[in-house]
Amino acid sequence: MDRRQYRRAGRTALAVGVVLGLGAAATGCTGDRAAAEGAHGVGGDPATVLRRAADTLREAGSSKTTTSMEMATGGTRVTIRGRGGYDFRHRLGELTVVLPDDPAGTPEHRPITELLAPGALYMKNRGAGVPADKWVRVETAALSDGNLVTGGATDPYAAAEVLRGTRTATYVGRTEVGGTPVRHYRGTADLAGASANASADNRAALAAAAKGFATAEVPFDVYLDDQGRIRKLRQRFSFVNGREKTPVAVASTTLLFEFGTPVDVRLPSPGDIYAGRIAESGAGEAPAPGARSSQGTSQ
């Protein structure tokens, strides 16, 4: 693949958005402990446990997070990574999102700062003609994926709320994530069901995703600690790639750790939000995130 194709792959991945460190590999023996805990693990029926995982995060308050979004496009696998913190009680987060380097190892884009807020995504260093000191504001309900993919990172609380639509789930067994003992579950969630049971802040965005994705079914693997908090969540989305109308598979992974860490997110004032036109991607590519920018007040 030549340099031009690689750049296109990187832009498409950002347009689609992929997030979270796939990193922390879960290791450990599952067989004996799974047998000892039974088919349901600790806490009862797996589907019931997972549907309330978002509520458990709200009770936890806040945490640090890393994200990784992985997508294969143009014969190249592209991964976008993010790192930051999230306040689950106020549904506010801040991530630094890093795009992949070009084939020579040279960064092609400055890291993007993203602010996650109820109903909105803010991006700085967006590029595409946006002044360096301005933010782009996107209404998540106006995105066909509900911002599960567009920003290059999945909002951690929205990712947890997808689990409210869990239709089938199986307890796999005990393992570890980052040295923390966890229970591993695997299943499938339905975005329409998630929207119906989500908080008011995420209901419209998840409803948009249910209609906009190639399929409303979201396969997942999730790892809960002994307090029922999500430590790792890997979800697989299928969306239609822009003008080509070709379904593309995206794997989004979110890691949560250091619960209780203070997270201070300050949203930009209206004067700091870019209201001009944003350059769009070339023919055959997905529209860049923020293409539907709107000037508005901070949440």
Side-chain angles (χ1 to χ4, degrees):
M1 168 171 283
D2 62 25
R3 186 183 185 95
R4 180 179 176 183
Q5 289 176 311
Y6 192 93
R7 286 174 174 168
R8 178 170 295 179
R11 289 197 300 269
T12 301
L14 175 60
V16 171
V18 230
V19 208
L20 195 304
L22 233 67
T27 60
C29 177
T30 62
D32 294 342
R33 290 191 178 185
E37 293 179 354
H40 292 168
V42 178
D45 172 61
T48 301
V49 170
L50 299 181
R51 289 179 192 132
R52 61 172 182 251
D55 295 328
T56 304
L57 288 182
R58 289 192 64 177
E59 294 170 3
S62 61
S63 78
K64 291 185 178 180
T65 181
T66 61
T67 64
S68 167
M69 198 161 281
E70 184 179 5
M71 180 182 68
T73 177
T76 298
R77 186 170 299 277
V78 177
T79 301
I80 299 174
R81 302 187 186 278
R83 177 175 291 273
Y86 200 92
D87 180 339
F88 297 103
R89 289 179 181 156
H90 298 95
R91 272 82 73 200
L92 292 170
E94 181 171 353
L95 295 173
T96 299
V97 177
V98 180
L99 304 184
D101 297 341
D102 70 7
T106 303
E108 292 204 71
H109 197 293
R110 294 174 59 192
I112 298 173
T113 300
E114 296 190 356
L115 302 182
L116 310 171
L121 166 67
Y122 298 84
M123 292 178 285
K124 196 171 187 179
N125 294 331
R126 165 66 182 80
V130 179
D133 62 339
K134 294 292 185 180
W135 293 83
V136 171
R137 181 183 186 276
V138 184
E139 295 182 7
T140 54
L143 297 169
S144 61
D145 68 292
N147 194 38
L148 293 176
V149 170
T150 291
T154 303
D155 180 309
Y157 191 69
E161 291 228 271
V162 169
L163 296 179
R164 294 190 190 276
T166 298
R167 299 183 64 181
T168 62
T170 302
Y171 172 62
V172 178
R174 299 281 294 192
T175 184
E176 290 187 358
V177 171
T180 299
V182 293
R183 305 191 304 275
H184 178 192
Y185 297 89
R186 177 174 295 142
T188 301
D190 175 72
L191 287 169
S195 172
N197 295 288
S199 63
D201 295 329
N202 284 324
R203 195 168 299 145
L206 291 177
K211 296 177 181 178
F213 277 130
T215 173
E217 291 189 350
V218 179
F220 65 81
D221 282 85
V222 61
Y223 303 79
L224 308 183
D225 64 20
D226 290 337
Q227 287 73 50
R229 301 172 302 192
I230 295 172
R231 290 289 181 152
K232 179 179 179 180
L233 175 56
R234 181 174 173 85
Q235 296 168 316
R236 291 168 287 283
F237 304 110
S238 180
F239 71 97
V240 177
N241 184 20
R243 300 179 182 89
E244 296 178 4
K245 305 300 181 184
T246 303
V248 177
V250 174
S252 174
T253 308
T254 302
L255 295 176
L256 302 176
F257 53 98
E258 295 188 27
F259 286 95
T261 300
V263 177
D264 182 20
V265 178
R266 300 185 181 184
L267 300 182
S269 64
D272 292 328
I273 298 174
Y274 181 67
R277 181 178 177 81
I278 298 173
E280 296 186 7
S281 304
E285 297 180 18
R292 294 188 185 91
S293 68
S294 61
Q295 186 169 2
T297 59
S298 59
Q299 302 288 323

